[in-house]
Amino acid sequence: MVLKIIVTDGRATGVTFFAYGKEHTVNARKEIILSGGTINSPQILMTSGIGPKDHLKEHGIAVVHDLPGVGQDLQDHFMMPVVYTCTKPISLSQAGSKEQAELYAKGKGMLSSNIAEAGGFLKIDPKSPDPDLQFHFSPGYFILDGAGNPTDGSDAFTIMPSLVQSKGTRSVTLAPADPSTKPLINHNIFQNEKDYDVLIAGVKIARKIIAASALDELRGKEYLPGSAVQTDEEIKAYINKYIQTIYHPVGTCKMGSDDMAVVDHKLRVHGIAGLRVADASIMPTIMNANTNAPSIMIGEKCADMIRTA
Ligand SMILES: Cc1cc2nc3c(=O)[nH]c(=O)nc-3n(C[C@H](O)[C@H](O)[C@H](O)COP(=O)(O)OP(=O)(O)OC[C@H]3O[C@@H](n4cnc5c(N)ncnc54)[C@H](O)[C@@H]3O)c2cc1C
C-alpha cells in the first residue's frame, strides 16, 4: 500500500509504501503516475503534503505544495431500488457454488452476469440538454449495496432509478492523516430539491415498466418501496432511506487551469514536477453515464503521453 509520494525540491522523486510488514521506498528515474482512484488519489496527495494548506495543517502535515482543489469537487451518481419478487426461480438468488464453479471453469453461467443487465436513459426535466435519469436493471435483489438483500433464497428483480446530473458541494478529506484509514467522503446528496423530482419520477416510471404485460409471467409483489408508498412525500421518505452511490466518483483531482484544478491537460500535477494523476479523479465534470470506460480511456491516453514525453 502506497503511503506517500516523496517530493524533493518541487519534484516527485519516490514513493514510500508498506509491504511484507514494513515500509519501503522506491525512487523514480523519470516520473510517478498516481492511479489510486477518486477516493484514494487525493488522500495520497494530501498525506504527501500536496493539497489545501489549511486542511493539511489541521492534520499536522507539512505543506509541500498548496493545491486547494485536491479532494474537492467530488461528483457521483446516486440510485435507489424498485424491487419486485419474481415468480420463477431464475434470478441471481439461485446462484450458488455450482454457478461459481461454472464461472471460474468456463467463464459462463448465471454468475457471469454483470448484475446490471439492462438500462436506459430518460430526460425528466424537458429543458435539460441531456438525460438526467438512468435506469439499471438487475436480475436479483439490489438493496443498499446488496447488504439489504434478503437471504431467504427468494427470487426478485430490481430497477434502479439513478441520478446522473446531481450537482452539489462534495469532497474527500482526511480523517486521520494516515493512508491506511478511510478518508471522509462527503456526498452531501440532496442539496438540490430537483434531484428528488427526478428520482420520484424514476420510481413511477419503473413501476410502469414493471407493470408491462411482457413481465406478467415473472412479476410477483412489489417488495420495495411497497404498495403503501404512493404519494410524492412517501416516495421521498423512501428515497432518503435507500439512496446510495452507484460507485461513479470523479473530480477530486480535476484537470484544468483554474485555481481549483489539480492537474493540467497532460495530467501533470500543478506545481510539482514528475508527477501525474491518471484515473477517474481527473474528470472535471462527470458524464451522464457509467465511468469505467472513460477511466480506461484516461489510462490509455496517459500511456500515450508518457511514450511521447
Ligand atoms: C462495485 C462497483 C461496481 C461498478 N460497476 C460499474 C459498471 O458496471 N460500469 C461502469 O462503467 N463503472 C462501474 N464502476 C465504476 C468503475 O469501476 C470506476 O469508474 C473505475 O474503476 C475508476 O477507475 P480508477 O482507475 O479511477 O480507479 P480504481 O479502478 O478504483 O483503481 C484505483 C486502484 O488504486 C488502488 N489503491 C488505492 N489506494 C491505494 C494505496 N494507498 N496504495 C496502493 N494502491 C491503492 C485500489 O486498490 C485500486 O486498485 C463500478 C464501481 C464499483 C466500486
Side-chain angles (χ1 to χ4, degrees), residues 38-39 42 46 55 70-78 166-175 182-191 244-245 249-252:
T38 297
I39 307 303
M46 287 189 276
H55 183 54
V70 174
Q72 302 303 303
D73 216 9
L74 172 66
Q75 300 157 62
D76 205 341
H77 297 147
F78 304 101
S166 170
K167 302 255 184 298
T169 311
R170 306 187 167 119
S171 61
V172 172
T173 53
L174 296 172
K182 292 173 184 157
L184 296 175
I185 303 171
N186 179 5
H187 267 134
N188 218 354
I189 301 179
F190 288 110
Q191 292 167 66
Q244 65 157 90
T245 167
V250 310
T252 52

Side-chain angles (χ1 to χ4, degrees), residues 1-3 17 35-38 40-41 43-44 114 116 136 179-180 246-250 278-281 283 289-296:
M1 186 186 63
V2 170
L3 302 176
F17 64 99
S35 301
T38 297
N40 296 112
S41 280
Q43 184 189 30
I44 293 168
N114 68 359
H136 290 86
S180 67
I246 194 165
Y247 328 115
H248 293 165
V250 310
D279 57 35
S281 72
M283 297 185 203
N290 306 51
T291 46
N292 195 50
S295 304
I296 293 169

Side-chain angles (χ1 to χ4, degrees), residues 3 6 15-26:
L3 302 176
I6 302 159
V15 170
T16 305
F17 64 99
F18 188 84
Y20 309 112
K22 58 178 183 171
E23 275 187 39
H24 308 261
T25 297
V26 283

